[in-house]
Amino acid sequence: MPERSKSSSVSNLPLILDIDDFKGDFSFDALFGNLVNELLPSFQEEEADTAGGHGLGGTEALPNGHARASSDAAKFAQGDSIPLFPEVDALLSLFKDSCKELIDLRKQVDGRLYNLKKEVSTQDAKHRKTLTELEKGVDGLFDSFARLDSRISSVGQTAAKIGDHLQSADAQRETASQTIELVKYLMEFNSSPGDLMELSPLFSDDSRVAEAASIAQKLRSFAEEDIARAVPSVVGSATASRGLEVAVANLQEYCNELENRLLSRFDAASQRRELSTMSECAKILSQFNRGSSAMQHYVATRPMFIDVEIMNSDTRLVLGDQGSQASPSNVARGLSSLYKEITDTVRKEAATIMAVFPSPNDVMSILVQRVLEQRVTALLDKLLVKPSLVNPPPMEEGGLLLYLRMLAVAYEKTQELARELRAVGCGDLDVEGLTESLFSSHMDEYPEHEQASLGQLYQAKLDELRAENQNVSDSTGTIGRSKGASVASSHQQISVAVVTEFVRWNEEALTRCTLFSSQPATLAANVKAVFTCLLDQVSQYITDGLERARDSLTEAAAMRERFVLGTNLSRRVAAAAASAAEAAAAAGESSFRSFMVAVQRCGSSVAIVQQYFANSISRLLLPVDGAHAASCEEMATAMSSAEGAAYKGLQQCIETVMAEVERLLSAEQKATDYRSPDDGMTPDHRPTNACTRVVAYLSRVLEAAFTALEGLNKQAFLTELGNRLYKGLLNHWQKFTFNPSGGLRLKRDITEYGEFVRSFNAPSVDEKFELLGILANVFIVAPESLSSLFEGTPSIRKDAQRFIQLREDYKSAKLASRLSSLWSGSS
C-alpha cells in the first residue's frame, strides 16, 4: 500500500508505490482511499458522524458530501475569505506525484516483460533443438526395433520349420513303429489258413478287445488294398497277393468271431440293463462296418418286433374283436391309443440309444424305419383291404365309402405318428416320405375309388327314393284318380334335401382329396373329378325330376284330348264328357303346380351347388391355371340339360294354361254376351261370365308361377303367356257377332284382361291389350266414324278389318264398300 510521512498534509515527498500492490485482489477504491486518507481526516470523521446520526441540529449537507458546522456557515455569511475546499491543492499535488510513480512503475513492468519475452524466446529455441534431437533418436530406436522384430520373425519361422520336421519325423517314426507291429501281426494271420491258435495274446485278451478290433480292421484294410493293387501280369505281385489272401481270410474269420463275441456280450449287458457295458461294446462294434451289425441287431431284438402277442394286441386294439364290424370312429380311437403307445416306446428306446451308441441318429433312423415298415405296415395291411371297382362291396356292408373313411382315418393318424416320431428323433430318415410310401398302393387308384363311391351312394339313394315312392303309391291306391288329382302326385318330386345330401357327400370326398393330395396340381385334378361327380348327379337328378313333372303335364294333355267334346251328342254323353273334361282340367292344374314346384326346387338346387363351388371348390382350383375356368364351363354344361327340360316344361305349362282358357271360353261364353237385344234395358257393364272365370283361373294357377320363377325366367314366361293369351282371345272373339252394347261388354272384358296381365310387368303385352281396347271401339261407333278410329294407330288396321266384319250391321250398312278405300290406302 502507498505510504506517506505524517508530519504535514501538504508535503511534497514522493509516494512509495509497490508493484506488488497491483497483484492478487487489486481494488482501485482501496488504492484511492489510501492516497487521500491522510489529507482528508475530517471527511472520514464527518462521514462516520453522518452514518451514526443523520440530521443533527446546526449542520447542513454540502453537494460534495462534506458537512460544515453552523459556525462556518455564519462565518461564510459574514464574508470570511476562508476557501470552501482548502485540501484541493494538496490533493492535486498528490495525484500528480502518483501519476509519475505509476508511469515509472509501467516502464519497470514493460522492461521486465521485455526481458521475460526475450528469455522465453531463448528457452523455446533451446527446447525445439532438444525435441529435434529426441525425434532423431526415437527414429533410430524404431529402426533398431524393426530390425530386431524381423530377426525374431526369421528365427521363429526357422524354429517352426524345424518343429514341423521334428513332428513329421516323429510321426514317421510312430508310423514305422506301428507298421512294424502290423506287419508282425499280419505275418501271424498269414501263417496258415484257418489257424488262429498261434496269434499274439492281444487277440485273445478280453480286456484288450478294443485294441484288437482296431488292429484287425487296419490289417484287413491293408491286405485288401494290397490285393486290389496287385497286377496279375507281375509274378511277384501275384505271389504276394496270394499270400495276403490267406491273411485276409483269417482276418475275416477272426473279425466275425470277435464281432459275434461282442454281440453276445452286448446282448447279455442289454438284458441286465448295464448301459456302460453296452456302450463299450457298441463303441468297439462301430469299427465293424460302421457298427451297422450292432445297430441292426439291437433294433431287431426289440420286443415290439419279435413278440407275436404285441402284434395281435395291436390288431385287437384297432379292429376290435374278430368278426365284428369296425367303424371309422372306433378305428380312429384305436389308432390314437396304439400310436401313442408306439411313440412312448420309441421315446424310451431313444434314451437308451443316446446313452449307448456312438451314432445315435443312425440307430434312431433304423428303429423308426422298422416301426413303420413292420409294425405299422402289418396293421395297415389288415385294416385296409382295397376293394374291387368291378365288384364293390354292397352298401349293406358299408360299401366303398367305409373303405375310404378307413383310409382317411389311417392316413391322418399315421401322419400324426410320423410327426411325433420326427419330434422324438429319427436321424436323417425321411419319415414323411416313408409314411407316404405305406399308402402308395391305395393312392394310385384313390380318385377312381372316390368317384365310384359317390356313384354307389347316388344309386343307393335313388333306389331308396323309388322304394319310398312305391310304398306311397301302394298305400294311396286309386283314391282320387277319378278327378285326376293324383296324376301329378303319383310322380316323385324333386327334393332340395336330397341335393343337399349330394353336396354333403361331395364335401366329405373333398376333405379326403385335400388330405391325400399335397401337390396343388394333383389336388386340383382330384377336386375337379369329385366335383364333376356332383355335377353329374345333381344334373341327372333334377333333370329326371323335371322330366317326371313334364310327364304329368303330358298325361294331363292326353286326358284333355281324350275327352274333347264333339257335336251331335246326347245329353247324357255330353254330361259325362263334360265331367271328364273337368277332371282333365283339374289334372292339368295339378300338373302345372307340380312342375312349378319342380322348377323352384331345381333353382334352389342349382343355387346350392353354385354356393358350394364358390365357397369350397374355387379356392382349391385357382392356384392351377385354367382349372377354375374349366370347372365353371363344365358346371354350365352340366346344368344345360336341366335348363332344356325346364324350358320344354314351361312351354307345356303355357299349353296347359291356354287349353284350359280355351275350354272355359268355349264353355262359358254365350252368343248373347256380345249381341244383347235392344229391349230398352240398361246395358250390363259387368265382365262376362267367361271373362270372370278365365281371370279367376289364371289368378289361381299363376300364383305358383309367381312364386317359383324369378328374374329373366319369370319375365320370359309371363311375356310368352301374355302373347298367347292375346292371340287366343283374338281367335275366340272371331266366333261372335257384336252390336254396340255387345261392343261395350267386350271393352269391359278387355279392360278386365288388361288389368290382370298388368301384373306380368311385361310392357309389350300391356301395349297389345291397350290396342285391343282401341279395336273394341269398332263395335261402338257409328259406321261413318270408323275411318277416323285408326288415324293415329295404323298398325292395327289389319286386325280392325277383321273386327269390323264382326259388326252386326256389317252387311246392312254396306261397310265393305265404305271402307274399301281405307283398306286400299293402308295396304
Side-chain angles (χ1 to χ4, degrees):
M1 291 296 176
E3 298 180 359
R4 189 174 176 83
S5 175
K6 298 179 182 179
S7 60
S8 175
S9 62
V10 294
S11 177
N12 292 326
L13 291 176
L15 296 172
I16 301 175
L17 295 176
D18 192 355
I19 295 177
D20 294 335
D21 293 339
F22 297 93
K23 296 181 180 178
D25 296 332
F26 172 75
S27 172
F28 181 81
D29 292 339
L31 174 64
F32 183 79
N34 288 332
L35 288 175
V36 302
N37 279 344
E38 294 180 359
L39 296 177
L40 301 173
S42 61
F43 173 76
Q44 292 178 329
E45 294 173 0
E46 291 173 2
E47 189 176 44
D49 293 340
T50 303
H54 182 70
L56 293 177
T59 65
E60 66 181 12
L62 296 177
N64 58 4
H66 294 279
R68 282 191 173 274
S70 59
S71 59
D72 293 337
K75 291 178 181 181
F76 179 76
Q78 296 173 1
D80 198 344
S81 61
I82 297 174
L84 181 62
F85 194 3
E87 292 87 356
V88 67
D89 294 332
L91 288 173
L92 289 174
S93 177
L94 176 63
F95 290 157
K96 290 179 180 179
D97 294 340
S98 297
C99 286
K100 291 179 180 181
E101 290 194 16
L102 287 173
I103 292 171
D104 292 339
L105 287 176
R106 187 181 66 182
K107 291 179 178 179
Q108 291 177 19
V109 171
D110 290 342
R112 290 176 66 180
L113 285 174
Y114 175 76
N115 293 334
L116 286 173
K117 289 181 179 179
K118 186 176 181 181
E119 184 178 355
V120 168
S121 177
T122 303
Q123 292 297 329
D124 183 63
K126 290 181 180 180
H127 178 66
R128 292 180 181 276
K129 182 178 180 181
T130 303
L131 284 178
T132 302
E133 293 175 353
L134 286 175
E135 287 179 355
K136 292 181 180 179
V138 170
D139 292 340
L141 186 59
F142 279 151
D143 291 340
S144 298
F145 275 121
R147 289 193 297 271
L148 179 60
D149 182 67
S150 177
R151 181 62 179 164
I152 291 173
S153 177
S154 177
V155 171
Q157 292 177 0
T158 303
K161 290 179 181 179
I162 294 173
D164 291 340
H165 287 305
L166 290 175
Q167 186 176 3
S168 177
D170 182 68
Q172 292 176 3
R173 183 188 62 78
E174 183 67 24
T175 302
S177 176
Q178 293 179 0
T179 302
I180 292 172
E181 287 290 323
L182 290 175
V183 169
K184 183 179 72 172
Y185 293 138
L186 185 62
M187 291 174 62
E188 294 178 6
F189 279 100
N190 201 36
S191 58
S192 60
D195 185 8
L196 303 179
M197 302 301 296
E198 301 298 330
L199 298 177
S200 299
L202 167 66
F203 298 103
S204 57
D205 189 354
D206 287 345
S207 62
R208 302 175 67 187
V209 172
E211 183 181 356
S214 177
I215 291 175
Q217 288 299 317
K218 290 180 181 179
L219 291 176
R220 280 183 60 190
S221 177
F222 173 77
E224 290 173 354
E225 289 178 2
D226 184 77
I227 293 175
R229 289 195 304 266
V231 181
S233 61
V234 180
V235 177
S237 297
T239 304
S241 296
R242 284 196 296 271
L244 291 180
E245 288 174 356
V246 175
V248 169
N250 288 337
L251 283 167
Q252 183 65 51
E253 182 180 353
Y254 172 76
C255 289
N256 291 338
E257 185 271 334
L258 179 60
E259 189 173 6
N260 292 331
R261 186 156 32 114
L262 288 170
L263 288 174
S264 299
R265 185 186 300 180
F266 182 87
D267 285 341
S270 176
Q271 294 177 2
R272 298 190 299 271
R273 297 294 297 170
E274 295 177 358
L275 298 183
S276 59
T277 304
M278 292 172 64
S279 177
E280 180 182 354
C281 294
K283 186 176 181 181
I284 298 171
L285 285 168
S286 65
Q287 301 181 42
F288 299 95
N289 298 323
R290 297 182 179 179
S292 61
S293 60
M295 294 185 287
Q296 295 284 356
H297 181 76
Y298 174 79
V299 171
T301 55
R302 296 306 88 201
M304 62 176 159
F305 300 130
I306 58 177
D307 192 342
V308 177
E309 182 57 32
I310 292 178
M311 300 178 186
N312 293 334
S313 176
D314 293 348
T315 304
R316 287 194 300 271
L317 179 60
V318 176
L319 298 178
D321 297 332
Q322 188 174 5
S324 61
Q325 180 72 40
S327 65
S329 58
N330 292 335
V331 169
R333 286 192 292 270
L335 285 175
S336 296
S337 301
L338 175 61
Y339 287 167
K340 184 179 184 301
E341 176 190 339
I342 290 176
T343 303
D344 293 341
T345 303
V346 172
R347 187 176 286 109
K348 292 177 182 178
E349 292 291 346
T352 302
I353 290 170
M354 294 295 292
V356 170
F357 289 93
S359 301
N361 288 337
D362 294 340
V363 186
M364 288 300 299
S365 177
I366 296 173
L367 176 64
V368 172
Q369 183 175 359
R370 187 72 175 266
V371 166
L372 294 174
E373 290 182 348
Q374 180 176 330
R375 192 171 180 183
V376 174
T377 300
L379 177 64
L380 293 179
D381 289 343
K382 296 178 181 178
L383 176 63
L384 302 175
V385 179
K386 186 162 62 173
S388 170
L389 291 173
V390 179
N391 296 309
M395 289 301 297
E396 293 77 11
E397 298 177 5
L400 293 172
L401 181 61
L402 178 62
Y403 160 73
L404 291 171
R405 287 175 173 174
M406 290 290 193
L407 178 62
V409 167
Y411 184 88
E412 185 176 10
K413 295 299 180 182
T414 307
Q415 287 289 348
E416 292 177 3
L417 172 64
R419 289 191 289 271
E420 291 292 333
L421 294 177
R422 169 65 69 187
V424 172
C426 55
D428 296 331
L429 178 67
D430 181 11
V431 64
E432 290 80 8
L434 180 58
T435 304
E436 286 287 342
S437 68
L438 300 181
F439 295 90
S440 59
S441 61
H442 299 279
M443 294 299 107
D444 291 342
E445 296 182 357
Y446 160 70
E448 290 78 6
H449 279 91
E450 195 70 77
Q451 295 176 74
S453 172
L454 292 172
Q456 190 180 37
L457 288 169
Y458 177 74
Q459 191 59 45
K461 188 64 180 179
L462 291 185
D463 294 341
E464 177 187 346
L465 294 174
R466 291 193 191 98
E468 291 178 356
N469 188 62
Q470 185 63 39
N471 292 334
V472 172
S473 298
D474 293 342
S475 62
T476 304
T478 58
I479 299 176
R481 292 284 178 97
S482 60
K483 293 185 177 181
S486 64
V487 173
S489 62
S490 63
H491 295 285
Q492 180 185 339
Q493 187 60 272
I494 295 174
S495 171
V496 177
V498 172
V499 175
T500 303
E501 190 171 3
F502 295 164
V503 174
R504 183 175 56 80
W505 297 341
N506 211 262
E507 284 178 334
E508 182 180 344
L510 187 67
T511 303
R512 287 190 289 269
C513 288
T514 307
L515 177 65
F516 295 146
S517 307
S518 57
Q519 298 299 323
T522 305
L523 176 60
N526 291 341
V527 168
K528 186 174 181 295
V530 167
F531 183 62
T532 300
C533 288
L534 175 64
L535 293 178
D536 293 341
Q537 292 171 358
V538 173
S539 174
Q540 182 178 350
Y541 177 71
I542 62 178
T543 301
D544 291 347
L546 291 171
E547 291 294 344
R548 287 192 297 271
R550 283 187 61 208
D551 291 342
S552 298
L553 292 169
T554 303
E555 291 180 16
M559 291 179 65
R560 288 195 306 271
E561 295 294 332
R562 194 178 305 126
F563 300 112
V564 173
L565 292 175
T567 58
N568 300 323
L569 297 177
S570 65
R571 182 175 299 178
R572 181 178 179 182
V573 174
S579 176
E582 289 285 346
E589 184 173 345
S590 176
S591 300
F592 180 92
R593 295 180 185 276
S594 295
F595 188 83
M596 286 301 170
V597 171
V599 170
Q600 183 180 18
R601 294 180 180 180
C602 175
S604 300
S605 300
V606 172
I608 290 173
V609 174
Q610 290 174 339
Q611 183 178 6
Y612 169 63
F613 177 80
N615 295 341
S616 302
I617 304 296
S618 295
R619 60 183 177 83
L620 301 175
L621 297 178
L622 285 174
V624 179
D625 293 338
H628 184 272
S631 292
C632 290
E633 184 177 353
E634 190 171 355
M635 182 164 54
T637 302
M639 297 307 167
S640 62
S641 60
E643 291 175 356
Y647 175 77
K648 293 178 181 178
L650 291 174
Q651 291 292 333
Q652 287 181 273
C653 286
I654 293 176
E655 295 293 340
T656 299
V657 170
M658 289 309 302
E660 179 62 13
V661 168
E662 290 173 0
R663 188 188 74 81
L664 289 174
L665 290 174
S666 176
E668 301 295 333
Q669 196 82 70
K670 308 301 182 184
T672 57
D673 289 343
Y674 302 124
R675 195 178 179 183
S676 56
D678 293 332
D679 52 6
M681 297 180 64
T682 304
D684 190 353
H685 296 291
R686 295 175 301 172
T688 62
N689 186 51
C691 175
T692 303
R693 290 285 303 276
V694 168
V695 171
Y697 167 74
L698 290 175
S699 300
R700 183 177 68 251
V701 76
L702 291 182
E703 182 179 354
F706 282 113
T707 303
L709 300 177
E710 295 179 350
L712 297 177
N713 293 331
K714 180 178 180 180
Q715 183 179 1
F717 174 79
L718 294 177
T719 301
E720 178 64 19
L721 179 61
N723 291 331
R724 290 288 303 276
L725 179 62
Y726 169 79
K727 292 180 181 178
L729 290 173
L730 280 180
N731 293 333
H732 168 68
W733 289 325
Q734 292 291 326
K735 304 173 184 177
F736 298 91
T737 301
F738 299 85
N739 61 11
S741 60
L744 292 174
R745 196 82 182 273
L746 173 63
K747 195 161 187 176
R748 181 66 184 87
D749 285 355
I750 293 173
T751 302
E752 191 74 12
Y753 289 126
E755 289 178 356
F756 173 74
V757 298
R758 199 170 291 117
S759 63
F760 291 4
N761 291 325
S764 61
V765 176
D766 294 341
E767 182 181 356
K768 288 183 178 181
F769 276 87
E770 289 175 2
L771 293 177
L772 274 180
I774 298 174
L775 280 176
N777 291 329
V778 302
F779 304 121
I780 301 172
V781 301
E784 57 271 13
S785 301
L786 286 174
S787 59
S788 62
L789 285 178
F790 314 111
E791 292 178 355
T793 54
S795 59
I796 63 172
R797 287 179 178 178
K798 185 176 181 180
D799 292 330
Q801 183 178 4
R802 291 188 297 167
F803 264 48
I804 291 174
Q805 294 177 10
L806 303 177
R807 284 175 62 108
E808 186 181 33
D809 58 352
Y810 180 75
K811 293 182 179 179
S812 62
K814 299 181 180 181
L815 294 179
S817 60
R818 282 189 181 186
L819 298 175
S820 59
S821 60
L822 175 65
W823 307 139
S824 60
S826 64
S827 60

